[in-house]
Amino acid sequence: MAKIAVVFHSGYGHTLRIAQAVAKGAGAELVPIDAEGNLPAGGWEALAAADAIIFGSPTYMGTVSWQFKKFADASSKVWGAQAWKDKLFAGFTNSATMNGDKHSTLHYLFTLAMQHSGIWVGTGLMPSNSKAAQRDDVNYVGSFAGAMAQTPSDANPDEIPVGDLETARLLGVRVATVAARLGA
């Protein structure tokens, strides 16, 4: 069974809930980035041991949070050694508005994975884009690049639409499935 780590920052608990859904689907270890942009004790070691790394960050001002960016910049030592080369990567994000420039965040996460010579895994999910679609449907926000969630700015983390949480869980399942197929 592949070792999978979900490294993420959550400012208000919404991205944490999404990370938990991804981890549930992937059977992954959570590696939270704290409010100062640091990993917990053993965090770098968990990422080094992982066959797949799933990145997560809220979308703030059209990209990742500064805390996630601090982690990304700190990964330059890993990059220099190409220590994450050929690992699987995936990503997820959340913002308050339906668009919220979430795709910019996913592109940032994808670019970070490519900088580390990784292999990106998208959602593999068709969007819920018919007239009959409901807000709680899987992949309602409609992303192939990674899981996107939308939570109104005045909503609590427990108010994340169930379809967004299921989309996140299914992203985790897909990463685990791809890792198993590749013999990771």
Side-chain angles (χ1 to χ4, degrees), residues 8 24 30 36 39 71 73 83 99 101 113 120 124 126 138 141-143 147 153 156 158-159 168 171 176 182:
F8 69 98
K24 179 179 179 182
L30 291 174
E36 299 305 315
L39 294 184
F71 152 75
D73 288 351
N99 180 314
D101 294 322
W120 190 259
M126 293 301 291
V138 169
V141 181
S143 175
S153 60
N156 294 319
D158 61 350
E159 295 179 278
L171 174 65
L182 295 176

Side-chain angles (χ1 to χ4, degrees), residues 30 33 58 71 77 84:
L30 291 174
I33 299 168
F71 152 75
K77 291 179 184 175
W84 292 348

Side-chain angles (χ1 to χ4, degrees), residues 14-37:
H14 302 87
T15 309
L16 168 61
R17 284 227 37 230
I18 298 162
Q20 290 167 333
V22 170
K24 179 179 179 182
E29 174 183 356
L30 291 174
V31 182
I33 299 168
D34 70 17
E36 299 305 315

Side-chain angles (χ1 to χ4, degrees), residues 73 117 128 144 152:
D73 288 351
S117 301
S128 295
F144 294 100

